[in-house]
Amino acid sequence: TQLLEQSPQFLSIQEGENLTVYCNSSSVFSSLQWYRQEPGEGPVLLVTVVTGGEVKKLKRLTFQFGDARKDSSLHITAAQPGDTGLYLCAGGRTSYGKLTFGQGTILTVHP
Amino acid sequence: DAGITQSPRHKVTETGTPVTLRCHQTENHRYMYWYRQDPGHGLRLIHYSYGVKDTDKGEVSDGYSVSRSKTEDFLLTLESATSSQTSVYFCAISDSDRIVREQFFGPGTRLTVL
């Protein structure tokens, strides 16, 4: 079983602070996706990274895929209350589009 | 928004009873997935389907069965519900088996087994 370890599990910060969420595995994934989930809703895709070393930016969010494709990080600059939510990383396996999800990081940004 | 609905949205049932959850899509996507979400575990794949009548097990399939008789519907059945199956269940769809493709998730079903 390919496992994804996500850290930290909880993050509570003030508006304007920076933060990084990590997603690590001992296995290589073909791709890594980051989803965001709000209470009472399903996850929504933020980004997909597929190449080792790849960096993608989405406004104040920066996503990186490790060179060996075993880890990824999500960095948020100047967090805002609207960033509050559950962030999930998901590693792509090779068949039928199946994903392995990390445990999730609950982010709370206080005004 | 992708057209995915799940029913019921909430259900309370008793141990030992059968339960069926329904996922309905209007996107004509080939691939459908059932996940359960529990605190500290993220989302775990229960079963998936890669076409009508084509299904396979995920990582936590014990105690669950699925059926897909038409493209738009994917049913998840708990044959004899147990308290350990109390969870939030999500259905997801995808138009491709390519792992770079997005999975679109339904709103979830909160199931409580007493």
Side-chain angles (χ1 to χ4, degrees), chain A residues 12-71:
Chain A
S12 180
I13 61 172
Q14 294 297 126
E15 183 176 1
E17 294 183 3
N18 302 331
L19 66 111
T20 302
V21 178
Y22 299 94
C23 183
N24 296 294
S25 175
S26 58
S27 302
V28 174
F29 284 95
S30 301
S31 70
L32 205 294
Q33 295 181 328
W34 285 92
Y35 288 79
R36 179 170 174 266
Q37 184 179 14
E38 299 197 18
E41 300 181 5
V44 176
L45 181 69
L46 294 173
V47 76
T48 300
V49 285
V50 297
T51 305
E54 183 176 2
V55 177
K56 282 192 174 179
K57 293 189 176 183
L58 186 65
K59 296 184 180 179
R60 294 175 293 100
L61 279 61
T62 302
F63 305 86
Q64 186 163 6
F65 201 12
D67 292 341
R69 291 186 291 135
K70 293 183 178 181
D71 58 89

Side-chain angles (χ1 to χ4, degrees), chain B residues 50-93:
Chain B
Y50 46 96
V52 174
K53 297 186 179 178
D54 291 323
T55 65
D56 205 348
K57 296 178 179 180
E59 57 187 295
V60 290
S61 60
D62 287 349
Y64 301 95
S65 62
V66 291
S67 66
R68 192 170 177 200
S69 60
K70 45 187 178 177
T71 299
E72 57 266 35
D73 288 326
F74 193 29
L75 303 181
L76 176 70
T77 297
L78 289 65
E79 293 138 11
S80 178
T82 68
S83 58
S84 65
Q85 292 175 313
T86 292
S87 186
V88 181
Y89 291 85
F90 286 97
C91 173
I93 64 174

Side-chain angles (χ1 to χ4, degrees), chain A residues 1-6 23-25 29 32-37 42-45 86-93 97-104, chain B residues 33-37 40-45 59 90 92 102-105:
Chain A
T1 303
Q2 295 175 302
L3 297 176
L4 273 172
E5 297 291 330
Q6 203 171 325
C23 183
N24 296 294
S25 175
F29 284 95
L32 205 294
Q33 295 181 328
W34 285 92
Y35 288 79
R36 179 170 174 266
Q37 184 179 14
V44 176
L45 181 69
L86 173 65
Y87 289 83
L88 294 156
C89 64
R93 298 186 241 178
K98 293 182 290 185
L99 298 174
T100 298
F101 281 84
Q103 308 99 311
Chain B
Y33 310 85
W34 274 109
Y35 294 90
R36 60 178 289 173
Q37 185 172 39
H41 289 278
L43 287 151
R44 291 180 291 176
L45 182 65
E59 57 187 295
F90 286 97
E102 178 176 3
Q103 286 190 14
F104 297 93
F105 286 81

